Amino acid sequence: MAEPNPSFYPPPSHTVVGTTLEEHILEGMRGAPASTGDFTSLLNAISLAVRIIHSRVRAAGLAGLFGYTGDTNVHGEQVQKLDEFANEVLCTVIERSGRCAVLASEELAEARMCNPDAKYMVAFDPLDGSSNIDVNVSIGTIFSIFRAPDGSVSTASVLRPGRELLAAGYAVYGSATTLVLSTGQGVHEFTLDLNAGEFFLSRPNLRCPSRGKTYSINEGNFPYWTKEIQRWSQFVKSEDKTLGLPMGHRYVGSLVADAHRTLLKGGIFAYPADRKNADGKLRLLYEAQPMAFLIEQAGGLATDGVREILDIVPTDAHAKVPLILGSRDDVNVYKEFLTGKRG
Ligand code: AHM
Ligand code: MG
């Protein structure tokens, strides 16, 4: 991919008409040698899919889209109607763009070959936070884009370390629908204008504070954690004004929502390994890698406790990984507990 033009940032301010997502991407590519528009087309396709999913999420109850399809996915989880719909929309729009060589999805048992001559590969979680669909709590879509290798491409080509990502983003279907994107030049938030049907830049250059006030973890898993993680959990709940403790606790149960809040406000999100899930619950390719890319672009950290998430190569499309991300200082404290340096 041609390198985005860093001189574009920060973007110019507009008063009457904001910067659209497409303008933002095109500006970032301006002047880049060998820019063919393929990358912009692919991101436009993803933006279209997100807008279609948004419209169904907003009408889910009315459109008969609550509940299960009756099928079970590759993870043994019951597939929700909206999961299936979101997956079909993304697969269709991305394949039809002609810009994708391989796609991988949480809802597909195997990665899928598309156009072998295309320059990019896409991985996505079509609808993250499925357990929150029926109760009207924020859910989202997570995606990432790699460059396809030169020469022969196969479905295994998508198993790359996150360091090689060209772009990643997520949409949150929350009180507003927002799209947070990084093409490796910082992290930028766009908000969907419902009447215009268009994403406009709402917050450029998001930065994750170096320290935050909240921790985010499923505390119900306490008995299944190792002693080290239990000690960390007790530490963040202990009282010590000089250390800013106790931290507050926030947990939505949708990675997009919990990671989004952590990116904006700082603090820490953790889904560690436990006695029930030796590698945690979250998937490396289409959940941990894109979130790690975004949080690092915003100045934060993402780790499995020992290794940086972006250095880990997925062994298969659905491989899981412990995921701890957020403010640098807060994530470093967690690492010290996990490795026994504290506690
Ligand atoms: P999914 O809805 O795409 O299957 O994602 C898994 C979700 C994440 O969004 C969230 O962080 C996690 O599972 C919550 O798990 P738990 O209910 O065990 O706390
Ligand atoms: Mg998910």
Side-chain angles (χ1 to χ4, degrees):
M1 186 192 81
E3 291 301 316
N5 175 6
S7 64
F8 171 61
Y9 299 98
S13 62
H14 294 281
T15 47
V16 180
V17 182
T19 304
T20 67
L21 175 63
E22 183 173 3
E23 282 172 335
H24 175 90
I25 299 162
L26 284 170
E27 281 291 341
M29 305 295 292
R30 183 175 292 166
S35 173
T36 59
D38 283 9
F39 185 68
T40 309
S41 296
L42 182 59
L43 279 170
N44 276 339
I46 294 170
S47 156
L48 172 63
V50 164
R51 280 174 285 154
I52 295 170
I53 296 166
H54 148 90
S55 90
R56 285 300 180 96
V57 166
R58 294 287 175 234
L62 297 175
L65 281 169
F66 281 156
Y68 298 100
T69 61
D71 294 331
T72 305
N73 69 13
V74 62
H75 312 285
E77 301 156 348
Q78 293 216 303
V79 178
Q80 302 240 17
K81 291 180 191 168
L82 270 174
D83 277 327
E84 188 175 82
F85 174 80
N87 186 53
E88 276 173 20
V89 170
L90 275 155
C91 289
T92 304
V93 170
I94 290 171
E95 280 193 84
R96 223 161 59 185
S97 78
R99 267 57 177 212
C100 179
V102 182
L103 65 76
S105 163
E106 177 180 327
E107 300 300 335
L108 295 177
E110 309 283 346
R112 182 186 288 176
M113 286 301 300
C114 304
N115 171 9
D117 298 324
K119 288 194 279 192
Y120 303 107
M121 303 182 289
V122 186
F124 51 86
D125 177 352
L127 209 61
D128 176 64
S130 305
S131 67
N132 282 323
I133 291 175
D134 291 1
V135 290
N136 203 14
V137 172
S138 295
I139 50 180
T141 295
I142 311 172
F143 62 91
S144 62
I145 303 176
F146 287 101
R147 174 180 267 296
D150 293 332
S152 72
V153 184
S154 71
T155 52
S157 304
V158 79
L159 304 177
R160 308 299 313 157
R163 291 262 168 247
E164 296 179 11
L165 280 170
L166 296 177
Y170 59 84
V172 187
Y173 310 109
S175 47
T177 292
T178 55
L179 193 137
V180 174
L181 175 72
S182 178
T183 56
Q185 303 287 329
V187 183
H188 310 284
E189 182 202 68
F190 301 81
T191 300
L192 184 61
D193 179 321
L194 298 184
N195 293 322
E198 188 70 71
F199 279 107
F200 290 96
L201 185 62
S202 42
R203 281 188 279 197
N205 293 312
L206 300 179
R207 301 299 295 167
C208 180
S210 59
R211 214 175 141 198
K213 293 185 179 153
T214 59
Y215 76 106
S216 185
I217 193 166
N218 185 339
E219 278 280 352
N221 289 329
F222 188 95
Y224 310 122
W225 295 332
T226 61
K227 288 268 170 300
E228 289 78 13
I229 299 170
Q230 289 179 340
R231 281 191 200 112
W232 167 80
S233 162
Q234 279 155 345
F235 170 77
V236 293
K237 289 187 293 239
S238 62
E239 189 177 3
D240 187 335
K241 276 200 181 131
T242 55
L243 295 176
L245 299 174
M247 296 179 95
H249 180 250
R250 297 281 184 282
Y251 190 71
V252 175
S254 293
L255 174 63
V256 278
D258 285 316
H260 186 56
R261 183 196 56 252
T262 305
L263 191 156
L264 290 172
K265 304 234 173 179
I268 183 167
F269 166 85
Y271 208 115
D274 60 43
R275 201 151 27 88
K276 291 184 303 174
N277 304 291
D279 294 312
K281 178 180 180 188
L282 301 174
R283 280 57 58 112
L284 177 55
L285 181 62
Y286 42 78
E287 291 177 323
Q289 281 186 343
M291 286 306 183
F293 182 79
L294 288 155
I295 207 90
E296 282 206 8
Q297 279 290 317
L301 281 182
T303 175
D304 68 351
V306 180
R307 300 167 295 176
E308 291 188 13
I309 293 291
L310 295 182
D311 291 330
I312 307 172
V313 183
T315 47
D316 73 73
H318 301 290
K320 294 177 181 176
V321 71
L323 176 62
I324 294 88
L325 59 77
S327 296
R328 298 189 86 82
D329 293 356
D330 296 319
V331 172
N332 280 329
V333 167
Y334 178 96
K335 283 166 73 176
E336 285 173 16
F337 273 90
L338 193 81
T339 52
K341 290 185 190 134
R342 271 172 97 150

